[in-house]
Amino acid sequence: MPQPTYSFVIPLYNEEDNLPELYRQLSRLFESLDGDSELILVDDGSRDRSLAILRSLQAQDARVRYLSLGRNFGHQIALSAGLQFATGKAIVVMDADLQDPPEVVAQLSEQWRAGYDVVYGQRLSRTKEGWLKRLTAYGFYRLLNRLSDVEIPADTGDFCLMDRAVADLLNQMPERNRYIRGLRAWVGFRQTAVQFHRPGRFAGSVKYTFRKSLALAINSILGFSKIPLRLATYLGLFSAGFAGLMMVLTIYWRFFDRSPNSHRLEGFALITMGVFFLGAVQLICIGILGEYIGRIYEEVKGRPLFTIKELGGLKPLSNPHNTQTHAVPLAKGLY
Ligand code: UDP
Ligand code: MG
């Protein structure tokens, strides 16, 4: 089969009630798109009839392919698995519960045709989601934005269309704790947003439990920020400042203050100074360890050193997949 224009990668976990409707809407969408499509459904260890439905969809429609993971590995891993199998020139990532409306894909593809490499859906509103989820999501995206080393756009999920070149890069990233939205932003290239109103689930209940959402949030911050590692250094500096203040007070009381009452706190200040000074020494030492661990962490993540958008008059490097040198240069559409 020739390379399809679009690959739709959809991870799903226990979505039996959504699959028939998802397939119905997608096959209608496929007719309206300006190229062939393939549908790659990733069963993330479902325990319901999802896999049986995937088998029958695949039997009746050659554009449908699926893979079924050995157990529930979680959404980000399932998505990573699906991306490895996608063959299209553009890859559309969406959820199985129709919260990422198929009709928005036309706009994503329009922007891709206009030259963008990543077009992500940005949520204008979230109807039918509880206030707690909306509030935590709102706060989390803004916190992540402040902490993160790369700019990860707020209120975006995994719903996006990405060019083959970007998908190739994601596939080459060896890191195991995968926060796809972050990696997608890290890659760079030309990115733009398409805003949409996020509807509620078509059917079924949320599969992202609170625990899974929290794990994702922690993962994203640890994967894209050095600030938590620096916390010890900051606390140590604060502690050192406090010790310094106590030292000034002790000296002042001891040598300069002649009023009779002030000496009462002198011993207290001396001991406090000692405690905070020792605390500062320890925290700063932990901070130094943190800096080294941070570097080790950077190295083991093994992200490419840089990405290349375009080459002029240069030959593509012969070994773009060499992650051992930590440099995986890749030009758009060249490999
Ligand atoms: N999902 C998955 N594995 C999981 C949890 C969720 O593949 O362990 C899929 C789920 O079937 C859906 C998508 O990830 O297609 C988003 O999950 P959900 O709708 O529960 O979360 P939301 O992002 O809407 O809160
Ligand atoms: Mg959902």
Side-chain angles (χ1 to χ4, degrees):
M1 183 182 153
Q3 184 188 26
T5 311
Y6 299 98
S7 293
F8 285 71
V9 176
I10 305 185
L12 55 108
Y13 177 53
N14 295 345
E15 301 284 9
E16 58 181 3
D17 295 331
N18 286 311
L19 287 175
E21 178 63 17
L22 177 75
Y23 174 70
R24 209 179 59 76
Q25 294 200 14
L26 284 178
S27 42
R28 210 171 49 202
L29 172 72
F30 291 170
E31 303 311 319
S32 69
L33 285 175
D34 57 353
D36 297 338
S37 302
E38 67 171 356
L39 177 56
I40 295 183
L41 295 154
V42 186
D43 167 34
D44 184 15
S46 298
R47 289 158 199 271
D48 63 354
R49 288 179 42 255
S50 296
L51 180 57
I53 299 175
L54 298 190
R55 285 194 197 111
S56 79
L57 286 177
Q58 203 261 325
Q60 74 187 59
D61 186 339
R63 295 171 302 187
V64 178
R65 294 92 202 260
Y66 67 86
L67 56 137
S68 179
L69 301 183
R71 63 171 171 84
N72 179 243
F73 281 91
H75 179 227
Q76 300 289 304
I77 304 290
L79 176 53
S80 305
L83 284 177
Q84 299 273 358
F85 286 91
T87 59
K89 296 187 180 112
I91 289 100
V92 179
V93 174
M94 57 200 283
D95 285 356
D97 56 2
L98 291 162
Q99 282 196 287
D100 302 330
E103 58 270 19
V104 178
V105 174
Q107 295 171 54
L108 301 183
S109 122
E110 208 173 286
Q111 297 294 323
W112 176 60
R113 294 286 183 194
Y116 285 101
D117 303 290
V118 174
V119 191
Y120 49 83
Q122 193 161 34
R123 300 155 187 173
L124 278 172
S125 64
R126 300 159 164 259
T127 38
K128 311 237 180 64
E129 288 181 306
W131 63 270
L132 187 66
K133 169 129 192 181
R134 296 209 304 258
L135 188 77
T136 45
Y138 183 90
F140 163 71
Y141 283 121
R142 272 136 197 97
L143 176 73
L144 177 64
N145 228 310
R146 287 203 64 126
L147 295 184
S148 158
D149 308 329
V150 284
E151 200 175 312
I152 302 176
D155 303 323
T156 61
D158 292 311
F159 183 33
C160 72
L161 181 151
M162 60 179 115
D163 191 87
R164 171 90 254 150
V166 174
D168 282 346
L169 271 167
L170 291 185
N171 287 341
Q172 284 168 21
M173 302 235 185
E175 68 191 84
R176 313 181 64 82
N177 289 300
R178 301 179 81 79
Y179 183 62
I180 304 283
R181 280 159 239 183
L183 294 174
R184 189 180 71 199
W186 181 90
V187 165
F189 290 59
R190 282 155 292 213
Q191 308 215 355
T192 189
V194 162
Q195 298 186 317
F196 72 105
H197 290 280
R198 190 162 213 237
R201 276 182 153 260
F202 177 74
S205 59
V206 180
K207 305 300 181 295
Y208 253 99
T209 53
F210 179 72
R211 226 183 68 198
K212 281 183 178 170
S213 298
L214 189 67
L216 185 72
I218 292 175
N219 217 339
S220 65
I221 290 177
L222 294 186
F224 289 89
S225 173
K226 289 191 203 74
I227 293 177
L229 269 176
R230 298 240 158 96
L231 208 62
T233 310
Y234 297 144
L235 284 172
L237 290 176
F238 174 78
S239 192
F242 202 79
L245 188 76
M246 288 295 142
M247 189 174 79
V248 170
L249 269 182
T250 318
I251 292 173
Y252 174 73
W253 280 331
R254 188 81 194 89
F255 299 109
F256 300 103
D257 190 7
R258 302 266 167 255
S259 64
N261 283 337
S262 62
H263 290 261
R264 255 194 263 152
L265 284 173
E266 197 187 296
F268 168 78
L270 193 69
I271 289 171
T272 314
M273 180 188 87
V275 169
F276 273 80
F277 177 74
L278 276 181
V281 169
Q282 288 173 4
L283 282 169
I284 288 172
C285 287
I286 292 174
I288 293 172
L289 287 184
E291 291 297 320
Y292 281 98
I293 291 173
R295 267 146 215 259
I296 297 171
Y297 183 48
E298 282 299 315
E299 296 288 341
V300 288
K301 269 194 286 193
R303 269 183 213 164
L305 211 51
F306 50 81
T307 62
I308 296 176
K309 196 154 57 184
E310 221 172 284
L311 291 176
L314 286 171
K315 273 209 239 67
L317 292 168
S318 56
N319 189 11
H321 298 277
N322 183 4
T323 47
Q324 264 163 5
T325 62
H326 299 274
V328 187
L330 191 102
K332 180 178 187 291
L334 286 179
Y335 304 94

